[in-house]
Amino acid sequence: NQVINDRIEDVNEKNTYNDMIEILKNDFEGTVEKQSDYILKVKDKLNMGQVTILKKIDNLLKWGVITYYKGGDKRRNKMLSLNYRES
């Protein structure tokens, strides 16, 4: 992801963000209905704590890589979606 490559120097950190994007893209087909489901999947695959994951999600939102919106039953779910698809 070019945005991440431009903003982060540390290779491990780049890999973590790119892995998080891959999880959203591959496991949830680019959009997750509940942020909590995404957090659990990232925790499981990348062995990170919830606070760390939320901070990284916040950065991805700030950088415009993903979008957050309300959805689901009575619009209570925090949904996350990739802003673009990479080939």
Side-chain angles (χ1 to χ4, degrees):
N1 186 302
Q2 192 60 44
V3 173
I4 291 169
N5 290 335
D6 290 347
R7 293 181 184 263
I8 299 174
E9 295 293 320
D10 183 85
V11 173
N12 290 328
E13 198 70 7
K14 278 184 195 182
N15 289 340
T16 299
Y17 280 107
N18 284 321
D19 288 344
M20 288 178 70
I21 291 168
E22 287 300 311
I23 290 169
L24 184 55
K25 188 164 69 172
N26 296 328
D27 293 342
F28 297 100
E29 296 177 4
T31 300
V32 64
E33 299 290 320
K34 291 183 182 178
Q35 177 178 280
S36 56
D37 292 345
Y38 178 66
I39 290 170
L40 287 173
K41 182 66 80 170
V42 172
K43 267 176 139 174
D44 183 50
K45 287 194 168 191
L46 302 182
N47 197 26
M48 294 191 308
Q50 181 168 331
V51 173
T52 303
I53 295 167
L54 288 169
K55 286 179 184 176
K56 292 187 183 309
I57 288 172
D58 191 48
N59 286 334
L60 291 170
L61 288 165
K62 278 191 258 183
W63 300 335
V65 177
I66 60 175
T67 301
Y68 154 82
Y69 53 98
K70 295 281 195 174
D73 184 42
K74 297 184 183 177
R75 300 183 52 79
R76 288 187 206 150
N77 296 347
K78 286 185 176 179
M79 300 174 73
L80 298 172
S81 181
L82 281 174
N83 279 338
Y84 51 86
R85 311 274 177 182
E86 296 175 27
S87 53

